[in-house]
Amino acid sequence: MNIAGFIIRRLLLAIFVLLGVVTITFILAHSIPGNPVYAWLGRDASAHPALVQLYTEKYHLNDPLYIQYYYYLSGLVQGNLGYSPAKGFIPVTQVISETLPYTLQIAFFAIVISIVLGVVLGVLAARFHHGPADKSIRAFYLAGISSPSFFIALVLLIIFTIFFHLLPTGNAASLSLAVPRAITHIPMLDALLEGNFTYFFSALQHVILPSLSLALGTFGVVVRVLRSSMLDVMRSNYVRTARAKGLTENTVFFKHGLRNAMISVVTLSSLIVTWLITGTIFVESIFSYPGMGQYVYQALLVQDYAGILGTTIVFAIIIILSNLVADILYVVVDPQIRLG
Amino acid sequence: MLTADRADEPEEDIVASNPNRSVRFKAILSSIRSNKGALIGFVIVAIFIITSIVEALGQYFKVKVTPYNPLQISVGPNLAPPSFQHLFGTDQLGRDVFSRILVATPNDVGVSLAVISFALIVGAVVGCYAGFHGGLWDEALMRITDVFFAIPALVLAMAIALALGPGITNMTVALMVIWWPPYARLARGETLKIAHQNYIEAAKLSGSGISKIIFGHALPNIALTLLIYASLDVGTVILVYAGLNFLGLGIQPPHPDWGEMVSSYKDYILTDPYLPLFPGLIIALGVIGFSLLGDGLKDTLMA
């Protein structure tokens, strides 16, 4: 089987999985007892019964579930995810397109930090395994992996902003700065393209703590897997051959060992992405970062069906895509793996 | 591969193939004692479980097993720092933080163990059945688990909890619903590994039905792998459960929970930064305990 056929098959599977995700979350969100209009409108609902009637009809809330499902799916195909009560009934697609870029910014830096930290510490732990360095690295990543992301976020907030006043407490950038003109829709990238370095550095300062909070929870996975696969590789025959050729231990370790051990890190990406996404819900609320995680939290508070469903789908798409990319990368970096 | 095969042999001798269960159990205990990490994990987990039992019994028989009444306000000054009277200080209403953490222990530990046990049992049976039966059942199970793998556990639990309404029972149900698929997948894989072993073929030939083969022959042989996975997974449930409580979907005020405490105390972070740190540390400590124990079990049983 060639690689194109493999990708097409995985894409078809991904669409099937996505449909399953939509169905599950739709059924769940619509089994909430009571008319959600009361939650959306708050105090206005009891004052204006006609308004409740109007909204109930507008969103087909009295129709049977399968008809609502039909409306939802047909809307979905046209790129319509419904309207978000949590944000004053603007389209969910609009809310997501406004908030997702910020979440991507956090996620990007979080992935970079966790991979850099994970690879450096994983290599150190494998190089000096069973020594004091290995043990302290293990203690460090175990503490990170075991702490809830909101706890790590609070600890960082206390250390860096309350005690040392080094970094800002919240928001995506200093509020006095104008958001750069939308080119790619990712603010930090736009600022760079525009040459607006004031905004870029302000945004960088604001993104460090949220990303670090997420990365400290995920880098341990990289360390753990890299360390053990490194130790496996170093016992293999081709490493023995490399040593027998008279190469120095460092050349063997980095050139023959690390390159092959990195393959196992590729498969971790989906696990890391899932953790990061879950983490953004807490971290963005704590740092009041205007991303999708914070929107999920707001949607939760007012039982915003459309919002929760829409964000769940976007989360699922991100995870499915990252799985797909990991699978393809895995095949590309390791020719021994058979496609199937 | 050769080294891996050789490493499997002694384990078979001590643990897997030993028919005497008490000897098997003693072998596990002695290997835990020789592994420092596993020992620390064992002690932490023991402390958490004993605390939960004591607190649960205390609540059931209405006996005071906390230094102060965890729900009573103004047992001390508001927002008092940690001291010998109030080990972890007091909160914004003058409630004793240490007592509140203690009283929340049975919920967190109990929910996690209940969710894991449910996932383990349902996952093992479903996965084993799919593994033997193959065909449509197998395909259906795999596609269902694919779907569940694409949604983060916390997001799905959030949606279920929202549908059922907040509360500790609904939260437990939500977590149970989403937690079994990985176990089913693991059990299926393990079943496929043993499906053509001689003892399974022998059982088939002797006319045993599929349920007899599953419960009598297959499950006992894949149980160890599943149990090791489960022991490493308890910490994850604790984390997700704490997260749901942080979002206010779990136990409702005034009853305390670790996650809920971090969430409500975080507003006092500017003046009393230690306040949200104690419940957060307790969550981390519990998770560390279970991971160390799980790692130790994995090392001793799989090495």
Side-chain angles (χ1 to χ4, degrees), chain A residues 16-17 20-21 24 28 31-33 138 142 145-148 150-151 154 158 162 224 278 282 296-297 308 312 316 319, chain B residues 143 146-147 150-152 154-155 158 160 162-163 239 243 246-247 262 269 273 277 280-281 283-284 287-288 292 295:
Chain A
F16 175 83
V17 170
V21 170
I24 289 182
L28 282 173
S31 42
I32 295 174
R138 182 166 186 230
L142 197 64
I145 260 182
S146 307
S147 304
F150 53 79
F151 176 62
L154 282 176
I158 291 171
I162 296 176
R224 194 191 287 217
T278 314
F282 304 105
V296 172
Y297 187 54
I308 289 170
T312 307
I319 292 175
Chain B
R143 297 293 80 82
D146 276 342
V147 172
I151 317 178
L154 184 104
V155 177
M158 240 166 57
I160 299 179
L162 201 60
L239 283 180
F246 182 89
L247 298 173
V262 179
I269 193 170
L277 290 190
L281 273 177
I283 299 171
V287 179
I288 287 176
L292 283 176
D295 270 345

Side-chain angles (χ1 to χ4, degrees), chain B residues 35-177:
Chain B
N35 181 334
K36 214 191 283 169
L39 192 65
I40 298 172
F42 183 77
V43 171
I44 297 176
V45 168
I47 292 174
F48 272 79
I49 289 181
I50 292 169
T51 312
S52 326
I53 295 172
V54 170
E55 288 302 325
L57 288 177
Q59 283 165 40
Y60 187 75
F61 293 111
K62 307 233 171 348
V63 187
K64 186 168 169 274
V65 278
T66 51
Y68 296 90
N69 181 343
L71 302 183
Q72 194 183 336
I73 58 170
S74 304
V75 292
N78 293 358
L79 298 170
S83 64
F84 284 111
Q85 281 88 41
H86 301 283
L87 216 47
F88 292 170
T90 58
D91 66 7
Q92 71 276 21
L93 297 173
R95 294 174 297 194
D96 184 50
V97 174
F98 182 59
S99 305
R100 289 174 71 74
I101 286 178
L102 277 183
V103 86
T105 315
N107 285 340
D108 284 74
V109 175
V111 167
S112 313
L113 293 181
V115 169
I116 289 291
S117 319
F118 179 87
L120 192 61
I121 293 168
V122 172
V125 173
V126 172
C128 211
Y129 186 76
F132 273 120
H133 211 277
L136 193 64
W137 281 105
D138 193 28
E139 195 60 29
L141 176 75
M142 283 302 100
R143 297 293 80 82
I144 290 174
T145 49
D146 276 342
V147 172
F148 274 89
F149 274 116
I151 317 178
L154 184 104
V155 177
L156 191 54
M158 240 166 57
I160 299 179
L162 201 60
L164 299 171
I168 188 162
T169 322
N170 292 347
M171 193 62 50
T172 314
V173 172
L175 287 173
M176 283 175 173
V177 169

Side-chain angles (χ1 to χ4, degrees), chain A residues 4 57 71 73 92 130 151 170 191 210 224 227 241 282 295 312 322-323:
Chain A
E57 271 169 30
Y71 279 118
L73 271 188
V92 171
H130 296 311
F151 176 62
R224 194 191 287 217
R227 177 185 179 277
T241 311
F282 304 105
Y295 172 56
T312 307
S322 70
N323 284 350

Side-chain angles (χ1 to χ4, degrees), chain A residues 81-93:
Chain A
L81 290 167
Y83 300 87
S84 171
K87 293 273 185 184
F89 291 95
I90 59 172
V92 171
T93 348

